[in-house]
Amino acid sequence: MKELNFNIEYLFSELSNTDKDIEVLLNNPTEFPTDIIEQLSIKTALSYWIGKIDYKTGDYIMNQIFGFWTTNQYYFENFVFPEIAWDCFNAFDSGEFYHNEDDREIDPIEKYTKPAIEKLLRDRKLIS
């Protein structure tokens, strides 16, 4: 497999500050770029955790990453979505809606997203 060499800071900045699609930024690779997706997911989780990006931006980035995998049939059928990306996607996804068991006063981002991001980062010893 051809090794992709992308600057994660550049990709993260472009995803955070523009409406460019990840497929375009990665130049439509023939193989799923697992390492890049893992690094972008970690960067997104850490950036959200330290307040560098807001929830909306983190959710947008993770939806882009997840959509990049699911909308390409070849990727979807031949590559596993990385665990860190899946955990990060689910953390942001859980903040998108009110949960049936919660009152409307409960902020799903505070109750679900923030603790899930913290757990994801602590489990991987990225924060203490």
Side-chain angles (χ1 to χ4, degrees), residues 75-90:
Y75 293 166
F76 190 75
E77 291 176 355
N78 294 287
F79 297 91
V80 174
F81 197 60
E83 182 181 353
I84 185 87
W86 185 245
D87 290 348
C88 194
F89 169 78
N90 281 328

Side-chain angles (χ1 to χ4, degrees), residues 2-61:
K2 180 182 171 194
E3 194 63 32
L4 296 173
N5 187 12
F6 285 97
N7 180 304
I8 295 302
E9 291 296 328
Y10 169 78
L11 291 172
F12 179 78
S13 177
E14 289 294 299
L15 286 171
S16 299
N17 299 307
T18 71
D19 60 355
K20 291 181 183 172
D21 289 333
I22 192 169
E23 301 97 288
V24 173
L25 290 170
L26 294 176
N27 197 25
N28 297 308
T30 55
E31 300 295 317
F32 187 72
T34 301
D35 290 342
I36 292 169
I37 297 305
E38 289 174 339
Q39 290 177 48
L40 279 172
S41 299
I42 291 167
K43 178 76 175 166
T44 301
L46 280 169
S47 295
Y48 175 71
W49 182 251
I50 64 172
K52 185 176 178 182
I53 62 170
D54 61 9
Y55 168 81
K56 183 178 175 183
T57 301
D59 188 50
Y60 172 78
I61 292 169

Side-chain angles (χ1 to χ4, degrees), residues 79-123:
F79 297 91
V80 174
F81 197 60
E83 182 181 353
I84 185 87
W86 185 245
D87 290 348
C88 194
F89 169 78
N90 281 328
F92 281 101
D93 189 58
S94 66
E96 289 181 356
F97 59 93
Y98 291 103
H99 297 247
N100 289 336
E101 64 274 10
D102 294 335
D103 292 330
R104 287 290 182 173
E105 296 95 37
I106 302 294
D107 180 353
I109 297 167
E110 290 295 323
K111 183 172 181 181
Y112 298 101
T113 300
K114 284 186 178 179
I117 292 292
E118 181 178 11
K119 180 177 180 351
L120 172 155
L121 294 171
R122 285 192 193 283
D123 287 352

